[in-house]
Amino acid sequence: MTSLHTTQVRRRRLGVAAAAVGLFATLLTAGPAAAMPDSGDSPAIRTGLSASQEAAATAAIEDGEVPGVDEIVHSDNITHLANVPKGALKGLNTDLAFQGKYAFAGNYDGFRIYDISNPSSPQTVTEVLCPGSQNDISVSGNLLFLSTDSSRNDNSCNSTTQPATEKSSWEGMKIFDISDKRNPKYVAAVETACGSHTHTLVPDGSNVYIYVSSYSPSEAFPDCQPPHDGISIIKVPRKAPEKAAVVNFPVLFPDGGNPGAPTNPGVSKTSGCHDITVLPSKDLAAGACMGDGLLFSIKDPEHPKIIDQVQDNVNFAFWHSATFNQKADKVVFTDELGGGGAATCNKEIGPKRGADGIYDIVGKGDHRKLVFRSYFKIDRPQAATEVCVAHNGSLIPVKGRDVMVQAWYQGGVSVWDFTDSSAPKEIAFFERGPINLNAVTTAGPWSTYYYNGYIYSNDIAKGFDVLRLDDRRTDPAKRVRMPELNVQTQPDYFEN
């Protein structure tokens, strides 16, 4: 077990070594880098390194500056309880959702259901083969929702890849009945413009609305035409999911959104959204939309209304995801610099790029504004072979504090406090060493969430991890119990 103090020593030494040999020059230049959003059925990215870079990475491990290959290190307040390696589904592991004693894990090849009644020994309940990256996943009652963001020859789970230039190709949402967790049944599919990279549930009584995020249109794609300046909204009757249908495509960027390069070099042009988080108890949503961050009202879930729009054309390359604090007076946006395919946790890239941006929400009603306060980035530099960037995380429900746990790909798992939005700080961590020393490989936690007293992490390459956090600052969260959790549909943890 590694203490925070020991790790701080390792951080300082690695910063000097990386700067001296220029390990990362072939991956990203010193200036802003163009984002490469995760998409399609792409395999794990592997980028070769020079002999000198390999030697430098090996030396850093031998000197104790970074963990060894596959070595696990963590702070004293973290306990690694379990790891469940990949089973039949060999694709990249993706997002997580929870319901009762079950965890639902997305994978580019389908999804997996775990029984987590004993967090120290999760058991696989079933694996469902249904390829169609990236299989972003959520659950509500007896329904499970799965995003398909790769062009397929049809909407079945037996589909194969087919060019998006063909009109008959399909992308969108799939719906399953999970009344029997051992035997999920595929019940409906809804095609959406440009597919479904991610999605967000907005429960509304007898219906569930789905906000579908997708992007990157092309004149050559019959079902994904520019400007693609909004999101698809699907209405799903709970008792008749087979009647699910798109009911609106609201325009979120009447001004066209961020123009990207060459106006804003290194910044993604906005042509849709990557992810949306809603806070139904406050009728609010936050959108991470490529080159823009949004705050909008969802009082009328079929007709969301933009409240504020912000850009960061200095340090953000690709607005990836969002997290509200419980009081809804702050929102954390993540920047997926390098699109989850580059080593960005190093001295060359620095502390402000590939990071989280913390914004205060000031004002009232439709006059609220997003006001930037600070950046947060893990200060545990990674080896040149380790893809590392801010990714999916969730709140840890502690009254009076703003604390979240977050995945950083091969940067591992970080628990950090942003109660003071101008001075965020890490309070716990868990990470593995490099997957290898000869190529940059996409691996590490894709999503890391807190649910009913434990931290659950879906590692792209290594499988499903369970962690326990023991810290006086977060221990009160262990008493909070939720019957269901889809992180992008943030609950009010303290409504009672």
Side-chain angles (χ1 to χ4, degrees), residues 35-40 94-95 108 134 136 147 149 194-200 211-217 228-232 252-253 268-277 286-294 296 316-322 333-340 389-393 409 446-447 449 488:
M36 297 174 292
D38 44 358
S39 61
T94 60
D95 213 2
Y108 270 49
Q134 55 186 13
D136 190 48
S147 286
D149 191 38
C194 300
S196 174
H197 194 70
T198 67
H199 68 269
T200 304
Y211 288 178
V212 177
S213 296
S214 56
Y215 53 92
S216 296
H228 196 66
D229 50 8
I231 57 173
S232 297
L252 302 180
F253 305 99
S268 292
K269 172 181 170 60
T270 297
S271 58
C273 290
H274 181 279
D275 211 338
I276 292 171
T277 293
C289 302
M290 304 183 72
D292 294 87
L294 298 181
F296 51 100
F316 262 46
F318 188 87
W319 295 67
H320 178 275
S321 53
F333 289 103
T334 67
D335 173 27
E336 193 183 42
L337 175 68
V389 73
H391 220 246
N392 295 349
Y409 275 29
W446 176 294
S447 297
Y449 301 143
Q488 286 71 38

Side-chain angles (χ1 to χ4, degrees), residues 58-310:
T58 301
I61 291 174
E62 292 175 349
D63 291 344
E65 296 170 347
V66 298
V69 173
D70 286 341
E71 179 187 359
I72 291 175
V73 296
H74 52 82
S75 53
D76 289 336
N77 51 0
I78 290 281
T79 301
H80 188 205
L81 297 180
N83 170 262
V84 183
K86 289 183 181 180
L89 304 178
K90 302 301 184 183
L92 279 66
N93 284 334
T94 60
D95 213 2
L96 293 168
F98 304 90
Q99 186 181 82
K101 66 176 185 178
Y102 298 102
F104 304 82
N107 179 285
Y108 270 49
D109 290 335
F111 65 93
R112 191 171 183 176
I113 302 177
Y114 298 97
D115 183 333
I116 55 172
S117 53
N118 178 3
S120 297
S121 182
Q123 301 297 311
T124 298
V125 176
T126 191
E127 297 185 75
V128 176
L129 179 64
C130 195
S133 69
Q134 55 186 13
N135 281 338
D136 190 48
I137 193 168
S138 60
V139 294
S140 182
N142 289 327
L143 299 178
L144 179 147
F145 305 91
L146 205 64
S147 286
T148 298
D149 191 38
S150 63
S151 186
R152 318 295 296 181
N153 69 320
D154 61 39
N155 64 10
S156 75
C157 284
N158 298 316
S159 68
T160 59
T161 58
Q162 180 170 287
T165 53
E166 296 189 24
K167 176 61 179 173
S168 62
S169 295
W170 185 92
E171 299 179 68
M173 291 298 309
K174 295 169 182 168
I175 304 172
F176 293 77
D177 185 318
I178 53 170
S179 301
D180 180 356
K181 301 296 188 294
R182 295 186 178 277
N183 186 30
K185 296 180 180 179
Y186 184 15
V187 296
V190 180
E191 186 171 14
T192 54
C194 300
S196 174
H197 194 70
T198 67
H199 68 269
T200 304
L201 302 187
V202 185
D204 187 45
S206 59
N207 300 303
V208 178
Y209 288 97
I210 308 175
Y211 288 178
V212 177
S213 296
S214 56
Y215 53 92
S216 296
S218 169
E219 294 283 0
F221 301 159
D223 298 320
C224 183
Q225 291 285 297
H228 196 66
D229 50 8
I231 57 173
S232 297
I233 299 181
I234 298 173
K235 184 177 182 180
V236 184
R238 290 185 184 276
K239 294 184 178 180
E242 68 279 3
K243 296 182 180 179
V246 174
V247 293
N248 197 12
F249 187 88
V251 172
L252 302 180
F253 305 99
D255 63 351
N258 199 315
T263 303
N264 297 315
V267 178
S268 292
K269 172 181 170 60
T270 297
S271 58
C273 290
H274 181 279
D275 211 338
I276 292 171
T277 293
V278 298
L279 190 57
S281 63
K282 300 292 193 297
D283 290 327
L284 278 180
C289 302
M290 304 183 72
D292 294 87
L294 298 181
L295 180 70
F296 51 100
S297 168
I298 57 169
K299 287 181 180 179
D300 180 351
E302 284 192 28
H303 302 90
K305 179 182 179 181
I306 301 300
I307 297 174
D308 197 23
Q309 176 180 351
V310 291

Side-chain angles (χ1 to χ4, degrees), residues 422-445:
S422 296
K425 59 184 179 181
E426 183 175 77
I427 63 175
F429 75 92
F430 169 92
E431 68 170 287
R432 290 182 170 88
I435 292 289
N436 59 60
L437 296 178
N438 57 20
V440 179
T441 305
T442 300

